[in-house]
Amino acid sequence: MPFEQIASMYDPLIKSQIRLYHLTTHFDQYYQAGLLGLWKAYETFDPKKGQFSSYAFLHVRGRILQELRGEARKQQKEENHDPHESKAFRTLSFEDTIPLLEDETMNLYLMHLTENQQRWVTQKVFHMRSEAEIAEMFGVTVYAVKSWRKSAIKRLRSVLFTN
C-alpha cells in the first residue's frame, strides 16, 4: 500500500494526538511531526512483530512528543537568556500540560513494571530528565539507571506486542 493511502487512513490518529496534547496553536508543525512518525513506522514495520496500527500509534505519538520536548527545551533556553522577562508572560511547561487521561493510560503500562522501572519511565518521559539526573535523584549509579531503562523497555515491548 502506498504511503499516501496510509497517511490518509491515519490522518485522524495524528489529529487526535495533536488535540490530546492541546497543540492546536502550532497545528502544522505537530502534524508534520506526526507524519514523520508515521513515515518511520511505515518504513520500519515488521508484520511478524504485531499490528501496524499499534506500531504506527507509538511512532506518531512519540514523534509529536519529541517535537513538543524540543520546543519546551528551546523555550527554556530562551527564558534563561532573558533574566528580565516577567513571569506573567511565560507559558505552561510540558509537565503542566499532561492530561489526566494520559496518567490513567500510563498507569495501565506502569503496573507491569517494577518500582525502579516505573521511576525511570516517569522521570524520563514526564520530566525529561537524563539518566545522570535520575541517578543523582535516587542515589544510585548511572549504570543502575541504564539497567532500569533496559529492563523497562524490554518489559514494555513484551506487554505491548503480546496483546
Side-chain angles (χ1 to χ4, degrees), residues 130-142 145:
S130 69
E131 275 77 14
E133 292 171 323
I134 297 169
E136 185 178 323
M137 180 182 292
F138 294 106
V140 296
T141 65
V142 174
V145 175

Side-chain angles (χ1 to χ4, degrees), residues 21 33 67 119 122 154 157 163:
Y21 294 105
E67 185 73 20
R119 287 177 177 171
T122 55
K154 185 176 180 179
R157 280 184 181 150
N163 292 335

Side-chain angles (χ1 to χ4, degrees), residues 23-155:
L23 304 172
T24 54
T25 55
H26 300 288
F27 179 84
D28 292 337
Q29 175 185 357
Y30 292 106
Y31 188 81
Q32 183 69 24
L35 277 177
L36 288 172
L38 185 61
W39 174 257
K40 178 76 172 175
Y42 178 76
E43 289 290 309
T44 60
F45 177 65
D46 182 5
K48 298 174 199 163
K49 293 188 177 183
Q51 296 179 349
F52 179 74
S53 58
S54 303
Y55 192 67
F57 173 80
L58 290 174
H59 277 274
V60 166
R61 181 177 176 189
R63 192 60 185 239
I64 290 172
L65 290 176
Q66 183 180 19
E67 185 73 20
L68 181 59
R69 281 187 216 108
E71 284 297 312
R73 285 187 194 114
K74 181 179 167 186
Q75 183 179 356
Q76 187 175 19
K77 284 181 183 179
E78 289 173 1
E79 287 177 1
N80 290 341
H81 288 292
D82 189 6
H84 303 295
E85 182 179 77
S86 168
K87 288 185 179 181
F89 294 108
R90 292 186 184 168
T91 58
L92 294 175
S93 70
F94 174 70
E95 292 175 20
D96 297 331
T97 61
I98 298 171
L100 290 175
L101 283 175
E102 191 62 28
D103 287 339
E104 291 176 19
T105 304
M106 194 61 157
N107 284 333
L108 292 174
Y109 295 107
L110 290 177
M111 68 186 220
H112 298 284
L113 303 177
T114 66
E115 184 178 342
N116 288 335
Q117 292 167 348
Q118 290 177 8
R119 287 177 177 171
W120 178 80
V121 170
T122 55
Q123 294 302 318
K124 189 69 174 178
V125 173
F126 288 120
H127 303 294
M128 297 181 287
R129 293 194 170 99
S130 69
E131 275 77 14
E133 292 171 323
I134 297 169
E136 185 178 323
M137 180 182 292
F138 294 106
V140 296
T141 65
V142 174
Y143 297 109
V145 175
K146 287 181 179 182
S147 173
W148 299 349
R149 175 189 68 202
K150 183 178 177 181
S151 57
I153 290 171
K154 185 176 180 179
R155 187 165 296 177

